[in-house]
Amino acid sequence: MKAGAPVQRGVATVRRLADRVAVYLPVLLMALMALGSYWLVRNTPTFGPPPTPAAATHEPDYFMRRFAVRNFDAAGRLKSEIFGSEARHYPDTDTLEIDNPRVRAFNERGELTVATARRGLTTGDGSQVQLFGNAVVTREASRDAQGRLQPQMRISGEHLHAFLDTDRLTSEQPVVLQRGEDRFTADRLNYQHGDRVLQLDGRVRGLIAPAGSREPAS
């Protein structure tokens, strides 16, 4: 009996330890689960919002040399064509800057207008053309709806702004206008060809040739 007393005490000690472990085991498991969750959160890749595209800068995204750009209407008729020695496209403004441009444009009646300059700037759809440096716009002679001959008209200046869709020409700088044998100078110009309305502002001077000295332009 005395020899078995240490064995019994050892068994009792093991039982007490097992009871204590059984009491704290749920707490240990909860702690391990919390640590595992924290590790997963720290190491799981995040999917943030897509990066914001960089704003377009005023830098050309493509070049053209010795080119021609043509625009056609819905019926396939040629509306305008632009030639140049070199051009640069700017995506932020969707404009085309042209060196030594030459523009040929036809209105709804088929009347031809030719424009040249040292530098040009056109919109992406080709509806507007700005001409800089020795700019010249020439409306070739034609006949109006009544069959009357309209002489050639030539407008020159350092800056001319042509609106091809509305057949309009403007300038905020001095211009020289020559229509047949008549010649005018002005500080500003606004010409609407469809309405045959010409507005000259600022210091306007004109030289109108006598009717007998005028010769029809060919």
Side-chain angles (χ1 to χ4, degrees):
M1 296 294 294
K2 292 182 179 180
V7 175
Q8 292 178 352
R9 287 196 296 273
V11 172
T13 301
V14 171
R15 287 178 177 175
R16 286 195 299 272
L17 289 174
D19 291 340
R20 290 181 179 178
V21 170
V23 171
Y24 291 107
L25 183 60
V27 177
L28 292 174
L29 291 175
M30 292 294 293
L32 289 174
M33 292 177 64
L35 289 173
S37 299
Y38 176 76
W39 182 86
L40 287 174
V41 170
R42 290 293 303 271
N43 292 276
T44 301
T46 58
F47 298 94
T52 304
T57 60
H58 196 63
E59 295 291 337
D61 56 353
Y62 67 81
F63 299 83
M64 295 188 293
R65 290 183 174 88
R66 292 186 293 276
F67 67 95
V69 177
R70 294 177 174 88
N71 292 305
F72 300 86
D73 61 16
R77 292 187 297 265
L78 180 65
K79 291 177 58 179
S80 64
E81 52 186 354
I82 302 173
F83 305 87
S85 58
E86 181 174 310
R88 298 160 293 278
H89 179 261
Y90 294 92
D92 58 330
T93 55
D94 191 21
T95 53
L96 194 67
E97 186 179 44
I98 306 170
D99 296 338
N100 304 310
R102 182 174 184 268
V103 183
R104 298 176 74 248
F106 298 88
N107 62 12
E108 295 179 353
R109 293 183 295 275
E111 297 171 338
L112 173 63
T113 298
V114 179
T116 59
R118 286 197 296 268
R119 185 171 66 91
L121 189 67
T122 74
T123 54
D125 59 0
S127 62
Q128 297 183 36
V129 180
Q130 294 192 64
L131 303 169
F132 304 90
N134 195 25
V136 178
V137 173
T138 303
R139 171 81 66 175
E140 298 297 339
S142 62
R143 294 190 180 275
D144 59 19
Q146 289 73 37
R148 293 172 299 190
L149 180 65
Q150 299 296 321
Q152 183 191 79
M153 183 169 65
R154 183 178 184 273
I155 300 173
S156 59
E158 286 302 303
H159 175 234
L160 299 174
H161 192 165
F163 300 82
L164 303 183
D165 285 352
T166 57
D167 213 7
R168 178 176 170 231
L169 184 70
T170 66
S171 178
E172 294 298 322
Q173 297 186 21
V175 296
V176 176
L177 182 148
Q178 188 163 355
R179 184 178 184 273
E181 298 298 319
D182 301 336
R183 187 176 186 275
F184 297 88
T185 60
D187 292 335
R188 292 176 299 279
L189 173 141
N190 188 344
Y191 175 55
Q192 185 70 53
H193 182 71
D195 299 331
R196 304 288 180 177
V197 175
L198 172 65
Q199 180 179 342
L200 299 173
D201 296 323
R203 293 172 297 178
V204 179
R205 295 180 180 179
L207 177 63
I208 300 177
S213 65
R214 301 182 186 181
E215 297 181 0
S218 58

